[in-house]
Amino acid sequence: MTDVSKPTTPKQTFMPPRAFLSEDVIQVFYRLLAALLICVALSLLSDSFLSVNNILNVLRQASLMFFIAAGLTLVVLTAGLDLSVGANVALSACLAGTVIHVTKSPALGVLTGLAAGGAIGLLNGVMVTALRIPSFIATYGMLWVLHGVTYWYMAGDTIHGFPPGFRQIGSGYWLGLPIPVYLLLIFLAIGTIFAQRTTWGQEIYAIGANPVAARLSGIPVSRRLILVYVMSGLMAGLASIVFLARLNSAEADIGESLTLPAIAAVLIGGTSLFGGIGTVFGTFVGALILTLVLNGMNLLQVSASWQPLVTGVIVILAVWLDMKTRRRTQ
């Protein structure tokens, strides 16, 4: 985790950011191959897996997970962590749902959800940089603060029944594909270009590789860290809008189960918890693999009590294999 509270000895010589056509691409290729093998296995085990409805359901679920995990990827690239994304989704969704009900304006609701998510990300960034609190502690504390505020605000109520036009964001189709899939493609392109092709994106990799060397080379580390936490918050705000439109209701516990799967998608996608390594596209593949596994367990009627265990084992194996592969290539 990034700890800016005290100077640290450089852990390695400063390395220039990685180009996209590098080891990262090879790692993504392995994960795409794993996703393909999972598809082959599930198609043999279940007659329902290759149905059109199920494939569209997998893509929609992977999209929802990706929205949260994409922003989280940028944080992890800096060797940080944002444990508040699930709670961020819950509060942002409840606030957006309230605004839509009161104003009857889906546009104002969308803006409210994004603004709330971004503001929470900004608070996280300020705690990590200005107050010099380690990201794990700062965002874990924020998680509980947001839970408390959301449960107090909702007071056990549920907001439901949104305009049909707004619901299209989460439940609609265009040219046979769910709308969230189009949103995924848009933000996948934006995230990849930002991380791989912009100076700010390359600086994020440099901070994760070695924050001291990055600071000495003139990179405004604090501002870039605030930026990634704000972007993580904005993506959580976007996820809250899609979830709100998909579920057609908002309640205090809407985001409780989202944080760990999002972190799992980032790790399965090949982003290193130690920072400086990983891609947004890899996170998309990680979200797809995790969704395929969860979907397969549902199709095969695996007990719900076993599913978290299987998910945890997959995450541990993914991280272990990733570390072993990277040691070998180095």
Side-chain angles (χ1 to χ4, degrees):
M1 305 301 105
T2 298
D3 184 354
V4 296
S5 61
K6 55 184 180 181
T8 58
T9 303
K11 55 187 178 184
Q12 63 184 50
T13 303
F14 176 76
M15 296 176 62
R18 294 168 180 269
F20 182 68
L21 294 175
S22 64
E23 181 188 331
D24 290 331
V25 175
I26 298 173
Q27 297 297 329
V28 170
F29 172 77
Y30 287 144
R31 284 161 176 79
L32 282 172
L33 186 60
L36 180 61
L37 292 175
I38 292 172
C39 289
V40 172
L42 291 178
S43 65
L44 294 175
L45 294 171
S46 172
D47 295 333
S48 304
F49 177 72
L50 289 180
S51 67
V52 174
N53 285 338
N54 187 60
I55 295 298
L56 292 179
N57 183 50
V58 168
L59 292 175
R60 189 199 305 274
Q61 294 300 325
S63 304
L64 296 174
M65 191 181 297
F66 170 78
F67 295 141
I68 303 174
L72 186 59
T73 301
L74 299 178
V75 176
V76 177
L77 282 174
T78 66
L81 196 58
D82 185 353
L83 294 175
S84 68
V85 286
N88 187 336
V89 169
L91 181 57
S92 299
C94 292
L95 292 175
T98 301
V99 170
I100 293 174
H101 259 247
V102 171
T103 66
K104 310 300 180 188
S105 170
L108 283 179
V110 171
L111 290 175
T112 299
L114 294 175
I120 293 167
L122 177 62
L123 289 174
N124 284 333
V126 169
M127 285 194 291
V128 170
T129 56
L131 302 183
R132 301 180 184 279
I133 301 174
S135 62
F136 178 86
I137 303 299
T139 58
Y140 187 63
M142 179 62 76
L143 179 156
W144 289 105
V145 169
L146 295 178
H147 272 322
V149 171
T150 306
Y151 277 90
W152 167 79
Y153 177 71
M154 295 301 290
D157 291 338
T158 299
I159 305 171
H160 58 82
F162 299 107
F166 174 73
R167 294 202 61 203
Q168 289 295 308
I169 297 174
S171 306
Y173 287 80
W174 188 61
L175 298 177
L177 283 178
I179 298 298
V181 176
Y182 291 101
L183 294 175
L184 178 149
L185 295 175
I186 292 171
F187 284 95
L188 177 59
I190 293 173
T192 300
I193 292 172
F194 173 80
Q196 308 292 339
R197 299 299 183 199
T198 69
T199 301
W200 285 8
Q202 298 290 279
E203 290 175 350
I204 289 170
Y205 278 91
I207 292 170
N210 192 323
V212 175
R215 185 178 289 109
L216 293 175
S217 65
I219 295 174
V221 174
S222 294
R223 279 185 282 171
R224 294 297 174 266
L225 287 176
I226 290 176
L227 173 69
V228 298
Y229 284 96
V230 169
M231 294 181 75
S232 177
L234 283 172
M235 290 304 292
L238 172 67
S240 76
I241 298 302
V242 179
F243 270 98
L244 196 62
R246 172 68 177 161
L247 301 175
N248 196 28
S249 68
E251 50 192 70
D253 63 351
I254 189 174
E256 282 188 354
S257 62
L258 301 176
T259 301
L260 292 182
I263 294 173
V266 174
L267 300 181
I268 293 173
T271 300
S272 171
L273 274 174
F274 300 101
I277 296 174
T279 63
V280 175
F281 188 82
T283 294
F284 159 67
V285 180
L288 185 61
I289 289 175
L290 192 57
T291 305
L292 284 170
V293 171
L294 295 174
N295 179 259
M297 286 193 287
N298 287 329
L299 291 177
L300 299 176
Q301 299 182 335
V302 176
S303 169
S305 60
W306 283 96
Q307 295 188 14
L309 184 150
V310 175
T311 304
V313 170
I314 290 173
V315 171
I316 292 171
L317 284 175
V319 174
W320 177 72
L321 287 173
D322 180 61
M323 294 176 65
K324 189 174 181 180
T325 303
R326 293 185 190 282
R327 283 197 201 104
R328 185 177 301 169
T329 56
Q330 288 171 1

